Amino acid sequence: MSTPPTDGPTDGPSDGTAAMEALYPFLYADSSDLSAVLEQVRASTTAKAEEILQLRRVICERDGARLAECARRAAGRFLAGGQLFAFGNGGSATDAQQLATLFLDPGGGVPALPAFGLANDTAVVTALCNDIGVDVVFSRQLAAFGGRDDIAVGLSTSGNSPNLLRAFDEASRRGMLTIGLAGYDGGKMAELDSIDYLFVAPTTSIHRIQEAQTTIYQVFWELAIAALVSDADPDPDPEEVSHVSRHTG
């Protein structure tokens, strides 16, 4: 398995073109046979779908029980009055924002839960980056807003982002429940003692890593909401929790 980079763009235009040609060679071929191109597109799409399905199976078999345990502990933090902080760089920042949004609007009659994407406030992010440095952009926010009943979820494709590593250390010092999502072999995140639960998508494909991480945090959310509904009501309405049962049966 190749060594993962830190998150973020590192390739120039020529490298980007070469990468696209490697992924979709039929788009750069000299042939103008439309039926052949369409068949290659179909085969490529089918192969990519099978890749992510197989990756999800691997993660489910290896980490399913840990993910359920993690979700139950997160539900306990919410019941104790805690809040969730999600963070990441680039596309992972978008995923972090989506995770926060899931808890803010869980639907199914479940009230909104306090959750924040730490890359969302551009004033705070740019102030920290300009005045101190990008390495502290998440850790300083956790130091300011986090407490021992809270949850910190960090997403990274490489597992090597310095600002995530510092954020997990800060969150752990404050007694927060710490959850990491990474790709490759976990990178430097796998070396940290400050992450309570690390879920790794074991592939070198950034595309498959991000797709797998989307599945992981979606299931984490559904399991956490199911646990919250169960703890809040010993005999909950089945319709109220039906939206969280799709991936857990």
Side-chain angles (χ1 to χ4, degrees):
M1 183 173 287
S2 60
T3 301
T6 55
D7 295 344
T10 57
D11 296 332
S14 60
D15 291 333
T17 301
M20 287 296 291
E21 187 170 355
L23 284 171
Y24 307 105
F26 46 83
L27 297 180
Y28 295 85
D30 294 332
S31 171
S32 58
D33 186 342
L34 179 59
S35 61
V37 170
L38 290 176
E39 175 56 28
Q40 288 175 314
V41 171
R42 185 202 65 79
S44 175
T45 302
T46 300
K48 289 176 173 57
E50 181 56 36
E51 284 177 15
I52 185 58
L53 286 172
Q54 181 58 31
L55 185 58
R56 286 167 175 158
R57 293 187 190 105
V58 169
I59 294 170
C60 179
E61 292 173 3
R62 184 187 64 189
D63 293 330
R66 289 177 58 249
L67 185 57
E69 178 186 282
C70 177
R72 287 193 296 271
R73 289 188 61 186
R77 296 295 178 109
F78 279 121
L79 288 171
Q83 51 198 341
L84 180 142
F85 298 98
F87 46 94
N89 299 290
S92 297
T94 302
D95 284 329
Q97 181 178 1
Q98 173 62 16
L99 174 59
T101 301
L102 287 171
F103 282 103
L104 287 169
D105 186 18
V110 179
L113 295 162
F116 306 90
L118 295 185
N120 290 8
D121 192 328
T122 55
V124 172
V125 169
T126 54
L128 288 169
C129 289
N130 183 64
D131 297 345
I132 307 173
V134 69
D135 284 0
V136 303
V137 70
F138 302 131
S139 60
R140 283 296 183 95
Q141 292 187 73
L142 292 176
F145 305 124
R148 65 176 300 102
D149 289 329
D150 296 334
I151 307 154
V153 184
L155 300 93
S156 169
T157 54
S158 69
N160 291 330
S161 300
N163 55 12
L164 265 76
L165 303 179
R166 292 185 68 155
F168 281 121
D169 287 343
E170 183 64 40
S172 180
R173 279 194 293 271
R174 295 182 174 276
M176 300 174 69
L177 176 66
T178 53
I179 304 166
L181 278 67
Y184 293 85
D185 59 359
K188 293 181 180 178
M189 285 169 59
E191 301 172 7
L192 294 182
D193 294 328
S194 54
I195 299 180
D196 296 317
Y197 293 92
L198 178 63
F199 301 101
V200 177
T203 176
T204 60
S205 168
I206 301 297
H207 307 83
R208 303 295 88 79
I209 292 169
Q210 291 181 316
E211 289 166 352
Q213 288 182 344
T214 299
T215 301
I216 292 168
Y217 70 69
Q218 177 80 25
V219 173
F220 164 74
W221 165 73
E222 294 194 3
L223 291 170
I225 295 298
L228 283 166
V229 171
S230 177
D231 286 344
D233 184 354
D235 187 23
D237 183 347
E239 292 298 320
E240 193 173 64
V241 298
S242 63
H243 72 292
V244 300
S245 63
R246 293 189 302 275
H247 298 295
T248 62

mmCIF file of all heavy atoms in Angstrom, residues 89 122-138 163:
data_model
loop_
_atom_site.group_PDB
_atom_site.id
_atom_site.type_symbol
_atom_site.label_atom_id
_atom_site.label_comp_id
_atom_site.label_asym_id
_atom_site.label_seq_id
_atom_site.Cartn_x
_atom_site.Cartn_y
_atom_site.Cartn_z
ATOM 1 N N ASN A 89 -10.505 18.694 6.406
ATOM 2 C CA ASN A 89 -9.977 19.628 5.416
ATOM 3 C C ASN A 89 -10.511 19.291 4.020
ATOM 4 O O ASN A 89 -10.666 18.122 3.684
ATOM 5 C CB ASN A 89 -8.452 19.565 5.386
ATOM 6 C CG ASN A 89 -7.821 19.942 6.711
ATOM 7 O OD1 ASN A 89 -7.850 21.089 7.125
ATOM 8 N ND2 ASN A 89 -7.252 18.957 7.403
ATOM 9 N N THR A 122 -16.209 31.008 8.546
ATOM 10 C CA THR A 122 -15.035 31.499 7.816
ATOM 11 C C THR A 122 -14.279 32.573 8.598
ATOM 12 O O THR A 122 -13.053 32.686 8.473
ATOM 13 C CB THR A 122 -15.449 32.068 6.454
ATOM 14 O OG1 THR A 122 -16.458 33.070 6.628
ATOM 15 C CG2 THR A 122 -15.986 30.961 5.558
ATOM 16 N N ALA A 123 -14.987 33.360 9.411
ATOM 17 C CA ALA A 123 -14.299 34.389 10.194
ATOM 18 C C ALA A 123 -13.344 33.752 11.198
ATOM 19 O O ALA A 123 -12.190 34.174 11.337
ATOM 20 C CB ALA A 123 -15.317 35.272 10.912
ATOM 21 N N VAL A 124 -13.825 32.730 11.903
ATOM 22 C CA VAL A 124 -12.979 32.045 12.889
ATOM 23 C C VAL A 124 -11.828 31.310 12.202
ATOM 24 O O VAL A 124 -10.663 31.407 12.614
ATOM 25 C CB VAL A 124 -13.816 31.055 13.724
ATOM 26 C CG1 VAL A 124 -12.914 30.195 14.604
ATOM 27 C CG2 VAL A 124 -14.827 31.805 14.588
ATOM 28 N N VAL A 125 -12.145 30.586 11.128
ATOM 29 C CA VAL A 125 -11.126 29.800 10.433
ATOM 30 C C VAL A 125 -10.026 30.693 9.871
ATOM 31 O O VAL A 125 -8.831 30.436 10.051
ATOM 32 C CB VAL A 125 -11.766 28.957 9.314
ATOM 33 C CG1 VAL A 125 -10.695 28.337 8.418
ATOM 34 C CG2 VAL A 125 -12.647 27.860 9.903
ATOM 35 N N THR A 126 -10.412 31.778 9.185
ATOM 36 C CA THR A 126 -9.401 32.637 8.572
ATOM 37 C C THR A 126 -8.616 33.417 9.615
ATOM 38 O O THR A 126 -7.424 33.689 9.430
ATOM 39 C CB THR A 126 -10.045 33.596 7.565
ATOM 40 O OG1 THR A 126 -11.114 34.329 8.198
ATOM 41 C CG2 THR A 126 -10.605 32.837 6.369
ATOM 42 N N ALA A 127 -9.258 33.779 10.718
ATOM 43 C CA ALA A 127 -8.533 34.475 11.785
ATOM 44 C C ALA A 127 -7.452 33.579 12.378
ATOM 45 O O ALA A 127 -6.307 33.996 12.566
ATOM 46 C CB ALA A 127 -9.501 34.929 12.879
ATOM 47 N N LEU A 128 -7.805 32.313 12.663
ATOM 48 C CA LEU A 128 -6.823 31.391 13.232
ATOM 49 C C LEU A 128 -5.695 31.101 12.239
ATOM 50 O O LEU A 128 -4.519 31.064 12.614
ATOM 51 C CB LEU A 128 -7.515 30.096 13.645
ATOM 52 C CG LEU A 128 -8.404 30.174 14.886
ATOM 53 C CD1 LEU A 128 -9.241 28.907 15.040
ATOM 54 C CD2 LEU A 128 -7.569 30.402 16.141
ATOM 55 N N CYS A 129 -6.065 30.886 10.978
ATOM 56 C CA CYS A 129 -5.037 30.607 9.968
ATOM 57 C C CYS A 129 -4.096 31.799 9.794
ATOM 58 O O CYS A 129 -2.880 31.630 9.675
ATOM 59 C CB CYS A 129 -5.699 30.278 8.629
ATOM 60 S SG CYS A 129 -6.543 28.680 8.585
ATOM 61 N N ASN A 130 -4.642 33.008 9.804
ATOM 62 C CA ASN A 130 -3.836 34.208 9.573
ATOM 63 C C ASN A 130 -3.003 34.589 10.795
ATOM 64 O O ASN A 130 -1.828 34.928 10.680
ATOM 65 C CB ASN A 130 -4.747 35.369 9.190
ATOM 66 C CG ASN A 130 -3.976 36.627 8.872
ATOM 67 O OD1 ASN A 130 -3.213 36.673 7.911
ATOM 68 N ND2 ASN A 130 -4.165 37.671 9.673
ATOM 69 N N ASP A 131 -3.606 34.506 11.975
ATOM 70 C CA ASP A 131 -2.938 34.997 13.180
ATOM 71 C C ASP A 131 -1.995 33.974 13.803
ATOM 72 O O ASP A 131 -0.998 34.352 14.442
ATOM 73 C CB ASP A 131 -3.977 35.417 14.228
ATOM 74 C CG ASP A 131 -4.835 36.579 13.752
ATOM 75 O OD1 ASP A 131 -4.446 37.234 12.761
ATOM 76 O OD2 ASP A 131 -5.894 36.820 14.363
ATOM 77 N N ILE A 132 -2.311 32.695 13.668
ATOM 78 C CA ILE A 132 -1.512 31.665 14.340
ATOM 79 C C ILE A 132 -0.981 30.638 13.341
ATOM 80 O O ILE A 132 0.212 30.415 13.236
ATOM 81 C CB ILE A 132 -2.333 30.956 15.437
ATOM 82 C CG1 ILE A 132 -2.952 31.979 16.397
ATOM 83 C CG2 ILE A 132 -1.435 29.979 16.207
ATOM 84 C CD1 ILE A 132 -3.903 31.391 17.392
ATOM 85 N N GLY A 133 -1.863 29.990 12.621
ATOM 86 C CA GLY A 133 -1.446 28.982 11.654
ATOM 87 C C GLY A 133 -2.527 27.945 11.462
ATOM 88 O O GLY A 133 -3.352 27.706 12.352
ATOM 89 N N VAL A 134 -2.520 27.305 10.306
ATOM 90 C CA VAL A 134 -3.570 26.351 9.983
ATOM 91 C C VAL A 134 -3.540 25.124 10.901
ATOM 92 O O VAL A 134 -4.559 24.458 11.093
ATOM 93 C CB VAL A 134 -3.458 25.923 8.499
ATOM 94 C CG1 VAL A 134 -2.214 25.072 8.267
ATOM 95 C CG2 VAL A 134 -4.705 25.182 8.040
ATOM 96 N N ASP A 135 -2.397 24.829 11.497
ATOM 97 C CA ASP A 135 -2.289 23.644 12.351
ATOM 98 C C ASP A 135 -3.188 23.705 13.583
ATOM 99 O O ASP A 135 -3.499 22.664 14.170
ATOM 100 C CB ASP A 135 -0.842 23.433 12.798
ATOM 101 C CG ASP A 135 0.025 22.847 11.694
ATOM 102 O OD1 ASP A 135 -0.506 22.619 10.587
ATOM 103 O OD2 ASP A 135 1.215 22.623 11.942
ATOM 104 N N VAL A 136 -3.606 24.907 13.983
ATOM 105 C CA VAL A 136 -4.402 25.032 15.205
ATOM 106 C C VAL A 136 -5.864 25.357 14.919
ATOM 107 O O VAL A 136 -6.630 25.625 15.849
ATOM 108 C CB VAL A 136 -3.813 26.109 16.146
ATOM 109 C CG1 VAL A 136 -2.367 25.790 16.481
ATOM 110 C CG2 VAL A 136 -3.952 27.513 15.557
ATOM 111 N N VAL A 137 -6.260 25.307 13.650
ATOM 112 C CA VAL A 137 -7.581 25.799 13.274
ATOM 113 C C VAL A 137 -8.715 25.007 13.943
ATOM 114 O O VAL A 137 -9.794 25.555 14.195
ATOM 115 C CB VAL A 137 -7.735 25.807 11.739
ATOM 116 C CG1 VAL A 137 -7.821 24.398 11.186
ATOM 117 C CG2 VAL A 137 -8.933 26.638 11.310
ATOM 118 N N PHE A 138 -8.481 23.752 14.261
ATOM 119 C CA PHE A 138 -9.505 22.953 14.937
ATOM 120 C C PHE A 138 -9.233 22.834 16.438
ATOM 121 O O PHE A 138 -10.164 22.895 17.247
ATOM 122 C CB PHE A 138 -9.600 21.560 14.304
ATOM 123 C CG PHE A 138 -9.906 21.580 12.838
ATOM 124 C CD1 PHE A 138 -9.145 20.838 11.945
ATOM 125 C CD2 PHE A 138 -10.941 22.351 12.335
ATOM 126 C CE1 PHE A 138 -9.419 20.856 10.585
ATOM 127 C CE2 PHE A 138 -11.225 22.381 10.971
ATOM 128 C CZ PHE A 138 -10.449 21.636 10.097
ATOM 129 N N ASN A 163 -3.402 19.327 11.502
ATOM 130 C CA ASN A 163 -4.399 20.032 12.304
ATOM 131 C C ASN A 163 -5.423 19.073 12.914
ATOM 132 O O ASN A 163 -5.990 19.363 13.970
ATOM 133 C CB ASN A 163 -5.072 21.158 11.515
ATOM 134 C CG ASN A 163 -5.688 20.716 10.206
ATOM 135 O OD1 ASN A 163 -5.833 19.521 9.942
ATOM 136 N ND2 ASN A 163 -6.032 21.678 9.369
#
